[in-house]
Amino acid sequence: MSNHSLLNETHDPQLTSWVESANVPGNEFPIQNLPFAIFRVKGSSENFRGGVAIGDQVLDLAAAQASGIFEGIAQQALAACSKDQLNDFMAMGKEAWSSLRAALSKALAVGSSAQAQLTNCLVVQADVEYALPCRIGDYTDFYTSIHHATSVGKKFRPDNPLLPNYKWVPIGYHGRASSIEVSGGSFKRPKGQTKAPTATEPSFGPCKRLDYELEVGIFVGQGNDLGSAITIDKAEDHVFGLCLFNDWSARDIQGWEYQPLGPFLSKSFASTISPWIVTTEALAPFKSSWTRDENDPQPMPYLESEQNRALGSFDIELQVYLETEKMRANSEAAVKLSQSNFNDSYWTVAQMVTHHTVNGCNLRAGDMFGSGTQSGPKPEEAGSLLELSNAGSEPVSLPNGETRTFLEDGDNVIMKGYCQKAGAVSIGFGLVEAKVLPAE
Ligand code: MN
């Protein structure tokens, strides 16, 4: 089984767009990408509606729908995308997503007869603001990087870093959906209970060990009925697409509260997603094989399939940058802290979907999973400051002389994601960023 089974004319590397900026090598939104967001003109009172990124432009899907040049399922899909959330479109399922992608690809390609009409449906990306792409009904955070699980486990439990269930169960917990916001905002440093290891009693105050988590966000498209499981061979048909996800974490609050039921207020104060959802279909050229070390337990049958072995992983390079208050004041560029790849995940997206529903739990369109912090095998591939600073004991040095163990007020954290492969046109995820404000 190869990627070719997933590819169609929309992935053709020769395809170029009449939107010239989409053809510039290295741009994140070539015609092969076509990710979805909810947007409007910045500072306006326009209705939010669906948009697709093409080069440095957004194709306004409500305007495209009104143009009347599309028909059939694609036109029905555009009608769903004209709303202020993508849930209805996501619920339409794979055939509708694919039909719209094919129609948009044709219409935006060089030589399209739709060029004249669609030119009027373009908005410059620099002039827009985004909303959440959908109503996120439920958010589940997984823990799929064994490198992260092991190094974090060492800090919380030096004698017992990786718990015995890790290699059998895709570990997750139910997160808080209401505090997920779209990129570009800010949030106040959380306050809460913490207890220093040497203290006899906990104290209350602003978090002192504020961290980011470099994650991939996974959006459920068509859901499943309560009581029915999604089998692994059908799992990816239920995944609309992926985004970048920063799952902010208060490590000192987490350390005190997390036993026995897991993290609670240490995670629920803020999470931030990138505005663009890159569809599973756009990611097809970047699917890759998934393997399980032969010395580890092999997945139980419900988490095992030939397709998952052949193409279950996503080759996405992930990067974290930090821009401090001082850097902004001196007009210095953000500094790269680390990078990792979603390929290194211990569990695949399909396994997450299947495991989540194996008990009959129903997923709904717009539900989101966090992949868990994506750390690679090398120390410099750590997806959190907890790991990079060795739990605060080894400050990270920045080029301007500043250091960080954990985040300080005014810090802006930026995450990026790219897919590159020989024979395919590279695509990007845009970015997710948000700034830490002082505690109230
Ligand atoms: Mn997380």
Side-chain angles (χ1 to χ4, degrees):
M1 200 177 297
S2 76
N3 294 52
H4 295 294
S5 59
L6 304 174
L7 301 184
N8 55 46
E9 68 278 6
T10 67
H11 302 103
D12 180 355
Q14 303 303 320
L15 206 58
T16 54
S17 175
W18 50 262
V19 180
E20 303 268 342
S21 58
N23 308 324
V24 175
N27 116 81
E28 296 191 65
F29 305 119
I31 192 167
Q32 289 82 1
N33 193 348
L34 305 179
F36 289 81
I38 291 289
F39 82 102
R40 69 177 176 190
V41 170
K42 204 183 281 177
S44 75
S45 55
E46 293 175 359
N47 292 329
F48 279 102
R49 68 268 187 194
V52 157
I54 179 80
D56 62 5
Q57 308 286 311
V58 181
L59 179 70
D60 180 339
L61 297 180
Q65 194 254 344
S67 75
I69 60 174
F70 296 90
E71 52 190 25
I73 302 176
Q75 177 67 0
Q76 291 164 28
L78 277 180
C81 291
S82 303
K83 301 176 182 177
D84 63 0
Q85 36 74 17
L86 294 172
N87 297 70
D88 295 348
F89 172 53
M90 294 160 91
M92 289 174 79
K94 195 179 166 185
E95 192 193 343
W97 312 334
S98 203
S99 298
L100 179 55
R101 176 177 163 87
L104 291 175
S105 175
K106 273 206 177 71
L108 290 166
V110 163
S112 164
S113 58
Q115 177 174 350
Q117 277 164 292
L118 288 187
T119 298
N120 300 320
C121 304
L122 295 175
V123 186
V124 179
Q125 268 172 43
D127 294 342
V128 310
E129 61 187 5
Y130 301 98
L132 286 177
C134 55
R135 283 188 318 270
I136 303 172
D138 277 296
Y139 153 48
T140 304
D141 200 17
F142 282 90
Y143 199 50
T144 66
S145 164
I146 195 168
H147 309 292
H148 174 73
T150 305
S151 62
V152 169
K154 268 184 201 148
K155 297 170 199 353
F156 285 94
R157 296 174 305 275
D159 49 332
N160 187 21
L162 201 62
L163 294 170
N165 56 6
Y166 189 85
K167 293 182 175 179
W168 294 95
V169 182
I171 299 291
Y173 72 96
H174 291 292
R176 184 79 197 166
S178 66
S179 52
I180 300 175
E181 296 208 310
V182 76
S183 179
S186 56
F187 64 93
K188 289 176 205 150
R189 176 180 295 274
K191 291 192 283 196
Q193 283 195 32
T194 59
K195 185 181 159 302
T198 51
T200 51
E201 282 188 0
S203 57
F204 179 84
C207 162
K208 294 192 183 73
R209 290 158 75 90
L210 183 61
D211 202 354
Y212 57 79
E213 291 191 330
L214 173 62
E215 301 199 24
V216 174
I218 298 149
F219 281 99
V220 174
Q222 222 165 25
N224 59 304
D225 292 333
L226 181 60
S228 74
I230 298 174
T231 57
I232 191 151
D233 52 314
K234 294 275 188 289
E236 278 194 16
D237 292 350
H238 291 264
V239 179
F240 176 68
L242 310 184
C243 73
L244 302 171
F245 179 47
N246 184 348
D247 193 26
W248 307 94
S249 296
R251 301 300 182 192
D252 44 356
I253 297 173
Q254 184 178 358
W256 171 234
E257 76 174 3
Y258 88 105
Q259 288 179 319
L261 291 185
F264 180 36
L265 302 183
S266 54
K267 303 280 187 171
S268 61
F269 58 93
S271 303
T272 316
I273 61 172
S274 56
W276 296 107
I277 304 179
V278 177
T279 62
T280 316
E281 190 173 355
L283 291 165
F286 311 101
K287 302 296 299 291
S288 59
S289 63
W290 174 86
T291 52
R292 172 58 54 84
D293 190 302
E294 59 182 19
N295 299 311
D296 280 1
Q298 299 305 298
M300 285 189 188
Y302 79 97
L303 294 173
E304 180 74 275
S305 81
E306 193 189 331
Q307 173 151 343
N308 189 57
R309 290 269 175 181
L311 291 169
S313 291
F314 290 85
D315 186 348
I316 305 171
E317 185 183 318
L318 303 166
Q319 304 175 338
V320 188
Y321 293 78
L322 175 65
E323 178 197 67
T324 68
E325 191 88 68
K326 196 172 162 191
M327 290 177 191
R328 266 195 306 283
N330 295 331
S331 302
E332 291 165 359
V335 169
K336 186 153 98 172
L337 293 181
S338 71
Q339 64 179 59
S340 63
N341 195 300
F342 194 28
N343 250 345
D344 286 319
S345 178
Y346 195 77
W347 299 101
T348 65
V349 169
Q351 287 169 325
M352 288 183 239
V353 170
T354 297
H355 183 68
H356 204 308
T357 62
V358 75
N359 66 344
C361 173
N362 51 330
L363 302 177
R364 293 178 297 190
D367 284 358
M368 196 188 89
F369 302 168
S371 62
T373 307
Q374 293 300 307
S375 300
K378 300 178 194 152
E380 64 271 25
E381 294 173 327
S384 68
L385 277 174
L386 179 69
E387 294 158 87
L388 283 177
S389 74
N390 191 19
S393 65
E394 296 164 20
V396 175
S397 297
L398 306 175
N400 68 352
E402 290 184 282
T403 60
R404 284 293 180 278
T405 49
F406 292 96
L407 295 170
E408 296 189 6
D409 294 344
D411 284 355
N412 190 44
V413 177
I414 303 154
M415 296 174 178
K416 300 179 184 179
Y418 303 95
C419 296
Q420 301 175 46
K421 191 185 173 186
V425 174
S426 302
I427 61 173
F429 280 73
L431 56 81
V432 57
E433 66 176 332
K435 195 168 84 172
V436 179
L437 301 177
E440 190 136 69

